[in-house]
Amino acid sequence: MAALLVILLIFVSDLCIKDYIEKHKELEKDEEILDGKIIITKYHNKGAFLNAMEKNRKLLLTVSGIFFGLVVLVLAFLIPQKRKGLLTFVVALIAGGASSNMYDRIRRGYVVDYFSFSFLKKVVFNISDIFIFIGSIIASVYAIMKS
């Protein structure tokens, strides 16, 4: 049940931020915060990471849907297992981020990205991307440690 709460929390918080950004920020206009370390930028990502597959929306939706479905299947397998709490949490992080971005792709036709780091000025993310990244790193470390 905690995994579902994690997914819901990520999905709703990112959706609220994306809706705020869509309504209140200008497309691709930078706004520096935290002494310029973080840059708020409304960006419409029509592809996957770094706009990959942006010209083939149908393929992108298919591939995204397959990966999202696999993550949900893994999570469904993990939830009933008592000793897989960390792995369940990590997959929930990935599922939460993926669900928000998948929702955007279906509803808007693009994913709303909205912040960058000053050292990665032209790479724009959203909170869901961060949770997917963190979850993937922890899952990779977990897999390496278990092998």
Side-chain angles (χ1 to χ4, degrees):
M1 193 55 123
L4 298 177
L5 188 58
V6 167
I7 293 168
L8 186 63
L9 185 62
I10 292 169
F11 180 86
V12 170
S13 61
D14 195 39
L15 182 65
C16 289
I17 295 169
K18 288 173 178 177
D19 285 344
Y20 175 84
I21 294 293
E22 283 287 83
K23 290 176 185 165
H24 296 96
K25 299 296 177 185
E26 251 183 80
L27 194 61
E28 298 187 35
K29 183 177 180 197
D30 293 351
E31 177 185 331
E32 293 182 359
I33 61 171
L34 297 176
D35 292 327
K37 291 178 179 69
I38 295 179
I39 302 161
I40 303 299
T41 302
K42 176 179 166 180
Y43 183 76
H44 293 165
N45 185 347
K46 295 180 179 157
F49 181 69
L50 296 174
N51 283 325
M53 293 190 278
E54 73 176 322
K55 299 209 186 300
N56 195 338
R57 188 173 187 284
K58 198 172 198 176
L59 177 62
L60 175 63
L61 282 171
T62 301
V63 170
S64 297
I66 290 169
F67 280 116
F68 180 67
L70 289 173
V71 169
V72 170
L73 281 174
V74 168
L75 192 59
F77 174 76
L78 288 172
I79 286 176
Q81 297 186 33
K82 298 283 185 207
R83 295 187 177 176
K84 302 283 186 181
L86 174 63
L87 192 54
T88 302
F89 174 73
V90 166
V91 175
L93 292 178
I94 296 168
S99 64
S100 178
N101 285 343
M102 189 73 189
Y103 177 81
D104 262 9
R105 281 191 185 97
I106 292 167
R107 181 174 165 248
R108 302 178 205 264
Y110 54 85
V111 174
V112 178
D113 289 333
Y114 47 82
F115 77 93
S116 182
F117 300 103
S118 58
F119 60 91
L120 290 172
K121 203 168 199 165
K122 294 300 172 189
V123 181
V124 186
F125 305 92
N126 59 46
I127 295 297
S128 289
D129 296 336
I130 299 300
F131 282 113
I132 292 168
F133 179 75
I134 290 170
S136 298
I137 294 295
I138 296 170
S140 298
V141 170
Y142 181 88
I144 290 168
M145 292 176 62
K146 288 293 185 179
S147 61

